[in-house]
Structures are given as structure tokens and as C-alpha cells.
Amino acid sequence: MIRQIKAETITQTVKKLFMDCNYFIGKDIMNALETAYEKESSPVGKSVLSQIIENDKIASDEQVPLCQDTGMAILFVEYGDKVVVEDGSFEDAVNEGVRQAYSEGYLRKSVVTDPVFDRVNTKDNTPAVIHTRIVSGNQIKILAGGKGFGSENMSAIKMLTPSYGIEGVKQFVLDTVRHAGPNPCPPIVVGVGIGGTFERAAQLAKKATFRAIDTHNEDERYASLEDELLEEINKMGFGPAGLGGNTTAIGVNVETAPTHIAGMPVAVNICCHAARHASAVI
């Protein structure tokens, strides 16, 4: 049965998602930060983690941004094939929600109109980046996040061939994090996308950073890979804020997709500890 959803409903949902994800840290992230604080061996690292935890609690209590970089708006959408949007288009409704969130929520507007020549601020943080899947049903599921670019700039993709094997995957992920060093504001969340095509691997890696870090890949082999990579990354010693310690990352999430017989694309998307994301079903 066809279901009609008003564009305004989508706008208000998106508005709330982006305000919430910029004000309220996820429980999974907070739990990981508190656990890391207890286990951190470096006094300086322990102090930094304490400040991060305090900052996140103040942001929540006062409903102010967790970080001055409130990110570029990213949405992963599962759009039911029996949904019809009334009084407007879905994309326009989403962008209006982003516009209202960043204007009324006092969130920094960071989007420019052109990447190279005309780097003029759009002044409302639009347009959003929208990844849409058409699925069966009469609902719209939205997973939204604000991606800061201190960490985004440290991300990478490599078109590995199958001969590299699992060791090649591990090496690329670890090399990417090692090259990033303190720049992405550790402790970090590392999203790894393996498979698909060039662009699909990157989408998988980005979506992986939105997944709760207290979950694992359903495939035991990749779940083990997540644990192994997290352990190896924390041995690097960059520590909280890059000032040394054993908490360089608080989570590694791996997502995969079928790929071509000749390829094994691997993408690494790094996210800072703010890890802004929220979800809703309309």
C-alpha cells in the first residue's frame, strides 16, 4: 500500500538528527572513552581523555556542539518503494532540514560552492551528501552524520588486487592510520570498506564509521580482523590528541561487499572521537 509522507516531516526529522548528532555523543562512544580512560597508561593521555569526556558531557547538558567542526552533512537512506513524498521532493526536504539545523542550531557552516576555483561558503552547510537505496516497504530510514574534515582528509583508498590477500589489506589499513598520525584528533574510529568498486568501497568505509563501535561484523573472520587491527593501531602509541599513550583508536569497523574477480578495493575512512551520527525511521 502506497504511503504518503509530507516533505515537512522529512525536513523536521533531518533537522533533529543533525542537531542531536552534534550535541549528544553516542553511548557506545562514551562507554569506549570511559573504558579507555581507565586503561590508559600515559598520564597525559589520561588527562586528555578526561577532558574529552568532560567536553562531551557539557555539550550534552548545554546542547552546544561537541566540536567547532560540525561536519559536512552525510546521509545513508533506505527509501521504501511504496513511499510518495507530498508537497516537495525528498532531496529538497533533506537539504532544508540540514539548512535549518545548521542555522537554528548554531552549527558551523563549512560547505563551499566549488572545490577548486570558487570556494565560496554556501552559508547553510548544504548541499548534503545523500546515499540512497530503494528498498521494499513504506518507510524511510535515515542514518545521518556530520563528517569533520580533520579526519576525513586522512582517509584513503587503494585498488588492491586479489594477490595482496588479507595481509595486504591489513598493511594498507595500518599504513593509512600510521600516516595520519595525530592529525585526525585521536582517539579515532576507523571505518574499513572492502570490495565492490572504487566508489562502493569508499561508501562502505564511510558507513562503517557510523556503525556502533560496540558491535562486530557478522562474519567471524572480519570480526577478528576488526579486533586485530584495533590492537595493532593502539600499539602505534600516538595516543589521545596525538600526545602519546595506548589509546589511538577506540574502534575499528569493517564492512564488505561482493567484488570483481580481478579486484579487491580497500578504503579507509577515519573519524575523530566525536563520531557524530544519529538515525530515525519515518
Side-chain angles (χ1 to χ4, degrees), residues 197-240:
T197 53
F198 181 87
E199 79 283 1
R200 180 63 176 143
Q203 288 179 349
L204 288 167
K206 174 61 61 57
K207 193 172 183 181
T209 67
F210 284 25
R211 198 183 91 208
I213 60 172
D214 55 6
T215 63
H216 274 90
N217 191 292
E218 293 181 357
D219 186 318
E220 291 183 3
R221 296 167 299 177
Y222 291 108
S224 294
L225 177 62
E226 291 171 338
D227 289 339
E228 182 179 347
L229 288 171
L230 180 60
E231 182 179 351
E232 291 301 315
I233 288 168
N234 283 326
K235 287 179 182 177
M236 293 179 186
F238 293 117

Side-chain angles (χ1 to χ4, degrees), residues 77-252:
V77 178
E78 293 185 9
Y79 192 106
D81 57 5
K82 295 178 177 61
V83 171
V84 174
V85 177
E86 280 188 306
D87 305 324
S89 74
F90 177 75
E91 186 169 334
D92 288 347
V94 166
N95 280 313
E96 181 58 29
V98 172
R99 184 176 295 111
Q100 291 183 19
Y102 279 78
S103 298
E104 297 175 25
Y106 301 100
L107 308 177
R108 196 182 82 186
K109 295 90 175 169
S110 303
V111 176
V112 295
T113 55
D114 180 87
V116 180
F117 300 108
D118 301 314
R119 293 184 63 86
V120 179
N121 199 298
T122 63
K123 299 181 179 180
D124 60 9
N125 223 54
T126 67
V129 177
I130 308 172
H131 302 290
T132 307
R133 287 182 60 229
I134 306 299
V135 299
S136 177
N138 61 359
Q139 296 179 323
I140 300 176
K141 297 180 181 180
I142 301 174
L143 176 59
K147 189 63 169 67
F149 264 62
S151 57
E152 186 78 353
N153 285 340
M154 295 296 103
S155 303
I157 188 168
K158 189 167 185 177
M159 301 303 290
L160 298 180
T161 54
S163 61
Y164 279 86
I166 187 61
E167 293 305 318
V169 172
K170 293 177 190 175
Q171 192 64 54
F172 175 62
V173 174
L174 296 176
D175 285 349
T176 300
V177 175
R178 189 174 291 107
H179 179 262
N183 293 307
C185 199
I188 57 176
V189 175
V190 181
V192 180
I194 309 173
T197 53
F198 181 87
E199 79 283 1
R200 180 63 176 143
Q203 288 179 349
L204 288 167
K206 174 61 61 57
K207 193 172 183 181
T209 67
F210 284 25
R211 198 183 91 208
I213 60 172
D214 55 6
T215 63
H216 274 90
N217 191 292
E218 293 181 357
D219 186 318
E220 291 183 3
R221 296 167 299 177
Y222 291 108
S224 294
L225 177 62
E226 291 171 338
D227 289 339
E228 182 179 347
L229 288 171
L230 180 60
E231 182 179 351
E232 291 301 315
I233 288 168
N234 283 326
K235 287 179 182 177
M236 293 179 186
F238 293 117
L243 298 175
N246 50 279
T247 313
T248 297
I250 51 175
V252 175

Side-chain angles (χ1 to χ4, degrees), residues 34-107:
E34 291 175 340
T35 299
Y37 172 79
E38 296 299 327
K39 294 181 177 180
E40 180 55 60
S41 59
S42 163
V44 174
K46 212 172 184 69
S47 175
V48 171
L49 286 169
S50 175
Q51 292 175 55
I52 290 171
I53 292 167
E54 182 182 8
N55 173 81
D56 291 348
K57 289 179 179 178
I58 291 172
S60 176
D61 291 343
E62 300 188 10
Q63 295 192 27
V64 294
L66 294 157
C67 173
Q68 75 275 11
D69 185 351
T70 52
M72 192 167 182
I74 314 292
L75 300 95
F76 287 92
V77 178
E78 293 185 9
Y79 192 106
D81 57 5
K82 295 178 177 61
V83 171
V84 174
V85 177
E86 280 188 306
D87 305 324
S89 74
F90 177 75
E91 186 169 334
D92 288 347
V94 166
N95 280 313
E96 181 58 29
V98 172
R99 184 176 295 111
Q100 291 183 19
Y102 279 78
S103 298
E104 297 175 25
Y106 301 100
L107 308 177

